[in-house]
Amino acid sequence: MYRTNTCGELNLSHVGKNVTLSGWVQRARDLGGMTFVDLRDRYGITQLAFNMDKNAELCLEARKLGREYVIQVSGLVAERESKNLKMPTGEIEIIVDSLKVLNTADVPPFTIEDVSDGGDELRMKYRYLDLRRNPLKQNLMLRHRLAQEVRRYLDSKNFMEIETPVLMKSTPEGARDFVVPSRMNQGQFYALPQSPQTLKQILMVAGYDRYFQIVKCFRDEDLRADRQPEFTQIDCEMSFVDRDDIIETIEGLMKYLFKTVKNIEFKDAFPLMPYSEAMNFYGCDKPDLRFDMRFVDITSIAKGKGFGVFDNAEYIGAICAKGCSEYSRKELDALTDFVKKPQIGGSGLVYVKYGADGSIKSSVDKFYTPEDITVWLNAAKAEKGDLLLIVCGPKEKTLKALGELRLEMGNRLGLRNPDVFVPLWVVDFPLLEWDEESKRYFAMHHPFTAPVDEDVPLFDTDPGKIRAKAYDLVINGVEIGGGSVRIHSKDLQSKMFNAMGYTQEEVDYQFGFLLNAFRYGAPPHAGLALGFDRLTSMFAGLDSIRDVIAFPKNNAGRDVMLDAPSVIRDEQLKELGIAVVAKKE
Amino acid sequence: MYRTNTCGELNLSHVGKNVTLSGWVQRARDLGGMTFVDLRDRYGITQLAFNMDKNAELCLEARKLGREYVIQVSGLVAERESKNLKMPTGEIEIIVDSLKVLNTADVPPFTIEDVSDGGDELRMKYRYLDLRRNPLKQNLMLRHRLAQEVRRYLDSKNFMEIETPVLMKSTPEGARDFVVPSRMNQGQFYALPQSPQTLKQILMVAGYDRYFQIVKCFRDEDLRADRQPEFTQIDCEMSFVDRDDIIETIEGLMKYLFKTVKNIEFKDAFPLMPYSEAMNFYGCDKPDLRFDMRFVDITSIAKGKGFGVFDNAEYIGAICAKGCSEYSRKELDALTDFVKKPQIGGSGLVYVKYGADGSIKSSVDKFYTPEDITVWLNAAKAEKGDLLLIVCGPKEKTLKALGELRLEMGNRLGLRNPDVFVPLWVVDFPLLEWDEESKRYFAMHHPFTAPVDEDVPLFDTDPGKIRAKAYDLVINGVEIGGGSVRIHSKDLQSKMFNAMGYTQEEVDYQFGFLLNAFRYGAPPHAGLALGFDRLTSMFAGLDSIRDVIAFPKNNAGRDVMLDAPSVIRDEQLKELGIAVVAKKE
């Protein structure tokens, strides 16, 4: 051991003790007679003191230390004269009597501080330096803590962690697979799993009853800010359960995590919201319920007064922004611009200011009397001082635009506090989605998702209306996870494939392996997967998952630190029986 | 929930309770008036009773149940007339009053019993049925338990579990990489990690101090019985430590696992054995110390009596087989044949029978007097009734052959009890190995392995004699894990590369990325990786790792259940910018 203690643990109770510490030089301050060095390791920072009068040679040595040098020191723990009570070690310092440089360090290309001066690409390239910074270290420690607690909880509930293969089989549906050429089976490829979905269902057929895994999954998709080609899931499956059993189990896990990791207690059950309600009142399937601002449908009460835009709209919806009646022209213009952005898709914005004095002022005063508008205000339960924001147009598109406007107002009004967590379950998703282009239904979740029992007759009359036994866990507007009850009956599965227009041949080709297993006694089962990266970033109060991953890839799918991917040797290609095809310009 | 209880938990204390169970039909016995069904789930087996007199309809239903049908039953817990005290549930049965078939099952292609009638390939193809068998279930439960306890222990010791990428960079040295073509960076490939070696060292540079991960690793090698293309490691790395700190830490982990999982207590420290001792006295670097039977070097005392075979041998070694003096001609011939097998490599076997009556009989009586041979017997501390087995020839080859003979004798004498565990650390491995073909040294472990301090001067005189700060954990003749102290000093690293004959260019190309990181303050660090599959199979008392893996691949690297690898679509190849090259016949 190069140390007797870490840099995070010494305090007044250790005064008078001789200790040895090792770590990195965070900073050095030369005050003439004294030189102070902050020594850092994973556990904290301890101040080292060198006295020019008492030991000039050593003090001069200390003055030569550069940033991020790795050193070992021995000395006496002493009470500090000027204490720093913000640090656990802030009441003591080490009067150093020996110093050894274990390693020197080049000058880092950016500062190793909570807020660094390095740009994104530079910090990605020198990830090992970026990872020294406190915020990243805290994120990875949180991730570690969460992973341990997830396992502890699920283990206590009789879940078995079972590893499924990474070298899997390519699946013809879903997102793009990463593939791995096989040397021993030339011309053939393994695929990296997009999820262990089929294998966890196989494990239920095998009788394992309760499975989980914290597992890497892979999708070769074009990357967005919050996507990584490899990501981590908490994957679960249970047998002999129905929807509410899964919800109860996972809710138990989430409550345990919030309690043990963040000391936040959720006493009540997380609310269940049908998909239709989420869409109609929040304009998306993952509503942020940290604030209310539900949509108010004023279609029927706003039509028929001669305002063409409203009269021709399929849907007219409003949200009530509390206390915003004094918004300026500029602010309202900004909101109008926001709504009209292509990615938002609204055609415009109508406002009603309900002044603190009871006055009513709107952008459609020409068409509506104050009495007309009062009806809207009442519908929206608006109070004096509030602002009504109204969007209209085709229903689906307008709901979506209003949903975005609602979130924007939430941001502006500071209603989306990252320290507040509001979870809910979105349920009753549609089982099937109609695809206009191919004129057929697709499974909204996947083709093994079970329908709600009472909706089964709709297979014959109106498949699009069937609700699924699917569920998403949503926290603060982020989909943390989702899953479904699976179909375990052959008859029901046939109905499902029929509704999707599959031929028997297609079914066999795409799903034969799993259906074969199902012939040998498949139990009723259901499952769910939680996005572990996203869960961690939510617990960390971050928007992006990148900084809760030790070695993430950039938007081009590259690891700029490792410089991967890279070209491989010709012999290697030859051995694998593949060739690189010249890219067309 | 489809049940109130599992099939493993009901006992006399539940008599009189109404319960609902779900599970698989293990077997049914029709005794005329009564039909008994054994219902199985992950947790156990519960007997169901159907009475023809009391409920003929239900009893007839029960008689129609096939093997592996999935059913749900409700009924009353009752005390059994004829108890089975071997089973936790053997004192009770369920008087069933309702029965529901949740799913039928085709007749399984082999029996779902502790010992199955199915062949290897068949059981691999229907792995989901094989996994229903008790021995496999026990293995996977053991694996789960071990994984949880490993994490619990390392977490308690301040290790952080940090996930490293699966999509890595191809490394030009070591075993063959599996590669993944990049669609976004055409012509370039990711590689799957053979181990997170470089990244865990990077994490030490990043200051994470104590890292671990239970992680999948990949090697595209031709498979042997105990190799899988993907395997799992318990990977550890620590900063500011030396060899004995790692040994102490990992030994603590192992003792904890033995205690908590197998209730076996190791009070003393695991012994340390230098590599040279292991080779000279056991003929291999992973001696099985469940039995002694050390080699006795009789080279000097057996030469010079006119027996040409011995006189010309570089080395003559003996082992003493206790109580085997009465071995028959046939048994001795079998041992001779064993020694002469090509994979053992011995040229022949000389024996000395030290009879219970004190008589001495050997296969070289012509050349040696009983007095001559008594010297050997004394050297080997042989007692009356023992058998001396002697092999001679070139030293290295003979030590190996004698080692195999020793293990064979251990097997024959029942000295290798799978319930007895004898661990040791093999240390002081050579740092470098001379390769005759390329006339250069290779790193025996890897090029970052640190030499023993006092051996550093040998770089200039006799590099082959340098001992490494490397260590293997060996239990019962199996290498469970290994690791080394890493070089953290630039100068020492240069010496190492020089000794291996590397040019600066080669060093930069192969190791530049890690050496770059080391420029920014690398702490002294050391680590180790344990083979998790092997650890589990050892705890399970198995020889092969295949049955501690849920979905293993066969010797051709195929998953016969999934039928992977498989061909992929042309569009997929096109998107990736690669082509399959026709295989030459």
Side-chain angles (χ1 to χ4, degrees), chain B residues 157-308:
Chain B
K157 299 292 175 194
N158 266 329
F159 281 79
M160 274 173 74
E161 187 166 26
I162 301 176
E163 295 173 57
T164 52
V166 174
L167 296 172
M168 279 268 297
K169 190 186 170 84
S170 193
T171 48
E173 252 204 347
R176 223 181 265 110
D177 285 323
F178 283 105
V179 297
V180 180
S182 167
R183 181 180 54 85
M184 288 202 274
N185 304 271
Q186 295 213 345
Q188 300 188 12
F189 294 79
Y190 302 98
L192 305 184
Q194 295 183 26
S195 90
Q197 180 64 38
T198 49
L199 287 176
K200 69 176 175 174
Q201 293 194 244
I202 286 287
L203 285 169
M204 293 305 104
V205 176
Y208 282 75
D209 205 76
R210 297 184 160 206
Y211 143 93
F212 86 100
Q213 193 180 187
I214 301 185
V215 61
K216 279 278 175 74
C217 300
F218 306 85
R219 274 179 209 172
D220 187 10
E221 288 180 328
D222 296 321
L223 302 174
R224 297 187 314 225
D226 212 27
R227 282 261 176 91
Q228 285 280 320
E230 58 181 292
F231 54 98
T232 305
Q233 281 190 353
I234 304 169
D235 195 42
C236 300
E237 196 82 6
M238 299 171 81
S239 288
F240 302 117
V241 294
D242 216 325
R243 189 194 74 177
D244 291 347
D245 303 308
I246 291 270
I247 284 183
E248 193 187 314
T249 304
I250 301 301
E251 201 168 301
L253 169 64
M254 292 305 302
K255 286 178 174 174
Y256 173 80
L257 294 179
F258 272 113
K259 180 74 190 118
T260 53
V261 177
K262 294 198 80 76
N263 200 26
I264 294 176
E265 202 145 355
F266 286 94
K267 294 228 168 86
D268 300 327
F270 299 173
L272 262 59
M273 183 184 288
Y275 171 85
S276 58
E277 184 181 332
M279 296 308 285
N280 282 330
F281 296 111
Y282 302 96
C284 70
D285 60 1
K286 41 180 196 249
D288 183 347
L289 294 192
R290 278 174 297 184
F291 62 109
D292 188 23
M293 219 185 275
R294 270 193 163 216
F295 302 172
V296 181
D297 182 350
I298 58 167
T299 313
S300 60
I301 55 180
K303 280 194 177 194
K305 304 283 175 170
F307 179 43

Side-chain angles (χ1 to χ4, degrees), chain A residues 164 193 196 211 213-217 231-235, chain B residues 163:
Chain A
T164 53
Y211 143 93
Q213 193 180 187
I214 301 185
V215 60
K216 278 278 176 72
C217 301
F231 54 98
T232 305
Q233 281 190 354
I234 305 169
D235 197 42
Chain B
E163 295 173 57

Side-chain angles (χ1 to χ4, degrees), chain A residues 338-540:
Chain A
F338 174 84
V339 167
K340 286 163 108 172
K341 277 195 217 170
Q343 66 269 39
I344 306 298
S347 53
L349 183 68
V350 167
Y351 67 81
V352 176
K353 290 177 169 181
Y354 189 13
D357 57 359
S359 65
I360 293 174
K361 191 162 174 260
S362 87
S363 51
V364 289
D365 279 347
K366 268 186 244 171
F367 302 96
Y368 297 92
T369 66
E371 288 72 30
D372 293 333
I373 288 178
T374 301
V375 178
W376 309 352
L377 291 172
N378 288 341
K381 296 196 177 89
E383 296 171 309
K384 285 173 188 167
D386 291 350
L387 173 71
L388 218 59
L389 296 169
I390 303 169
V391 185
C392 72
K395 183 164 182 183
E396 207 173 311
K397 213 174 154 185
T398 305
L399 287 171
K400 180 181 168 294
L402 205 51
E404 297 289 348
L405 179 63
R406 175 179 173 274
L407 292 178
E408 172 66 18
M409 289 310 297
N411 288 336
R412 284 175 181 244
L413 297 173
L415 302 173
R416 306 183 73 192
N417 181 347
D419 294 328
V420 170
F421 298 91
V422 182
L424 78 153
W425 291 97
V426 177
V427 296
D428 291 344
F429 283 82
L431 183 69
L432 297 161
E433 260 179 324
W434 181 255
D435 181 59
E436 201 46 56
E437 202 178 318
S438 57
K439 301 277 178 211
R440 48 168 284 211
Y441 282 109
F442 279 90
M444 194 161 175
H445 194 64
H446 62 60
F448 299 97
T449 302
V452 168
D453 299 338
E454 67 206 69
D455 290 357
V456 173
L458 292 171
F459 270 114
D460 301 321
T461 54
D462 195 353
K465 284 246 161 64
I466 303 172
R467 290 165 300 165
K469 284 184 181 171
Y471 31 79
D472 275 1
L473 174 62
V474 173
I475 304 180
N476 293 2
V478 177
E479 182 201 324
I480 295 297
S484 66
V485 176
R486 327 300 182 186
I487 298 174
H488 67 278
S489 123
K490 272 187 280 282
D491 290 351
L492 199 53
Q493 192 65 62
S494 294
K495 276 188 206 292
M496 182 71 177
F497 285 134
N498 281 342
M500 294 167 70
Y502 273 104
T503 65
Q504 189 58 43
E505 208 176 18
E506 285 171 317
V507 168
D508 288 345
Y509 178 68
Q510 294 196 23
F511 310 106
F513 142 72
L514 186 58
L515 295 177
N516 260 340
F518 277 17
R519 286 167 44 209
Y520 293 95
H525 59 291
L528 170 139
L530 300 166
F532 186 53
D533 306 298
R534 210 167 280 180
L535 180 72
T536 308
S537 77
M538 190 198 63
F539 266 68

Side-chain angles (χ1 to χ4, degrees), chain A residues 201-208 239-240 488-490 514-525, chain B residues 23-25 40 66-71 101-108 128-129 132:
Chain A
Q201 293 194 243
I202 286 287
L203 284 170
M204 295 303 105
V205 175
Y208 282 74
S239 289
F240 302 116
H488 67 278
S489 123
K490 272 187 280 282
L514 186 58
L515 295 177
N516 260 340
F518 277 17
R519 286 167 44 209
Y520 293 95
H525 59 291
Chain B
W24 287 262
V25 173
R40 186 196 71 231
R67 271 208 285 146
E68 302 302 319
Y69 273 39
V70 186
I71 62 171
V101 174
L102 297 172
N103 231 333
T104 59
D106 288 5
V107 176
Y128 38 89
L129 297 180
R132 285 184 189 168

